Amino acid sequence: MQETSGYFLKMKDRINTKIIGCEIISFDVIDSTNSYAKRMGTENVIEGMVIVAGQQRCGRGRLGREWMSPPDTGLYMSIILKPSLQLEEIQLITLMASVAVARAIEKTVNQKPGIKWPNDILLGGKKVCGILSEMVSSNEGMEYIVVGIGINVSAESSDFPEALADKATSLAAYVNEQGLSLSGDSKDKLFESVLEEMDKLYMLLLSVGCDGILSEWKHYSATLGNEIVIKSENEEISGVAEGITVDGRLTVLLKNGTRLNIHSGEVSIRGLMGYV
Ligand code: BTN
């Protein structure tokens, strides 16, 4: 893996942030920006540092899945954060990142995306971005969080494998369907916007707590009010997604009238009506 000086580094002077993007490490090719950030270790990371790559050979998704990361068609990045949150509040960081990405995508394509709890961003009902937040901890507790963001930017619809054709999209594929096209510098602008939106929301979280984040998350939510199926290793249950708790768990009203606050840890959810 070789660090590059080029593409993303020029962005550093353009972005207007206090914490996020204070340092940018960029690679043409890497195994995974999240894995790299985790390997760096506590002594070498600074809060706000961003690791970004043009391609990932072993991009990772939630629940041990692969994240396809072909050269230059996506934005693959990880952001280091060191918030003083309780362990059970870490999910808020993923919600915050999903709002930041939703805002950045909205600016880029002029269309409101949806957030599918816990970590997917949808455009036209298909997944355009996934977020994987991972924690690095020691005996003393949490050392730092790695927020991994993968956004499909310029892939054509035909680039997605058949199994994903009705589930995944990219910004370019979406705007093409509308008879429009993306401008040549969309990826740069998107990168810049994600960092700036993350910075604003992180400042908000640190200064006034989670309320602002949660209300923005509700504004973009594609999950609340919908019937969903929650799949864990042992069972499948369905209910209606009713709300979000202050620590980012989804409140689900089950058919038998009981309510569950579910943590994203080991569950996957799907809508009864399609992917949402
Ligand atoms: C998911 O939807 O399952 C999460 C996907 C997260 C992908 C990003 S791409 C940058 C970062 N590095 C990784 O290996 N994964 C995350």
Side-chain angles (χ1 to χ4, degrees):
M1 267 170 321
Q2 196 170 6
E3 215 178 305
T4 59
S5 54
Y7 181 66
F8 289 103
L9 295 186
K10 70 177 191 293
M11 305 296 300
K12 180 145 179 12
D13 302 329
R14 276 176 42 179
I15 54 168
N16 181 15
T17 56
K18 293 199 168 63
I19 299 181
I20 311 297
C22 57
E23 194 159 318
I24 298 176
I25 306 180
S26 102
F27 295 91
D28 288 337
V29 186
I30 201 169
D31 52 351
S32 144
T33 56
N34 266 35
S35 303
Y36 182 88
K38 287 168 78 180
R39 284 196 300 270
M40 283 182 85
T42 313
E43 317 74 53
N44 300 313
V45 294
I46 342 174
E47 174 151 84
M49 184 181 255
V50 174
I51 295 108
V52 60
Q55 179 186 358
Q56 296 184 118
R57 292 230 165 89
C58 309
R60 296 187 289 106
R62 273 183 77 232
L63 309 172
R65 295 177 188 138
E66 177 197 5
W67 182 259
M68 282 191 352
S69 316
D72 302 323
T73 60
L75 196 49
Y76 316 117
M77 60 195 272
S78 300
I79 302 174
I80 310 280
L81 296 177
K82 294 180 165 185
S84 47
L85 292 177
Q86 301 301 311
L87 219 61
E88 58 277 10
E89 293 172 321
I90 298 302
Q91 176 69 33
L92 273 177
I93 296 292
T94 303
L95 299 194
M96 176 187 76
S98 59
V99 171
V101 173
R103 283 178 171 179
I105 289 179
E106 188 167 17
K107 269 195 205 157
T108 310
V109 299
N110 212 6
Q111 180 70 36
K112 185 178 167 191
I115 301 177
K116 174 177 176 266
W117 187 90
N119 70 327
D120 295 348
I121 315 292
L122 313 176
L123 256 186
K126 294 180 180 178
K127 178 164 173 170
V128 70
C129 166
I131 296 171
L132 176 67
S133 300
E134 299 184 285
M135 205 167 43
V136 174
S137 39
S138 67
N139 292 341
E140 273 86 68
M142 189 194 72
E143 297 283 341
Y144 59 96
I145 299 176
V146 178
V147 185
I149 299 172
I151 308 176
N152 303 326
V153 181
S154 55
E156 311 271 333
S157 328
S158 54
D159 293 337
F160 293 102
E162 214 177 300
L164 291 181
D166 60 343
K167 295 198 180 91
T169 190
S170 74
L171 299 189
Y174 177 77
V175 296
N176 287 347
E177 278 163 25
Q178 320 292 308
L180 302 166
S181 57
L182 275 186
S183 68
D185 61 353
S186 297
K187 189 165 154 185
D188 293 1
K189 287 203 172 139
L190 184 68
F191 181 60
E192 201 178 320
S193 298
V194 170
L195 300 192
E196 290 179 355
E197 295 301 338
M198 267 295 263
D199 198 65
K200 283 187 221 155
L201 292 165
Y202 192 51
M203 296 304 212
L204 189 71
L205 181 70
L206 297 183
S207 57
V208 296
C210 64
D211 288 354
I213 310 278
L214 293 178
S215 65
E216 269 294 272
W217 182 85
K218 286 178 190 156
H219 167 75
Y220 285 106
S221 174
T223 302
L224 291 185
N226 287 332
E227 280 204 66
I228 57 165
V229 180
I230 308 152
K231 263 175 80 177
S232 62
E233 210 180 322
N234 306 320
E235 56 175 348
E236 239 187 65
I237 37 178
S238 57
V240 175
E242 258 195 346
I244 192 87
T245 65
V246 287
D247 57 7
R249 283 176 299 157
L250 189 70
T251 306
V252 183
L253 175 62
L254 303 183
K255 294 246 155 63
N256 65 9
T258 54
R259 285 188 172 80
L260 275 186
N261 288 330
I262 56 169
H263 196 275
S264 65
E266 290 303 315
V267 301
S268 73
I269 66 166
R270 71 182 154 79
L272 287 179
M273 302 296 292
Y275 183 63
V276 175

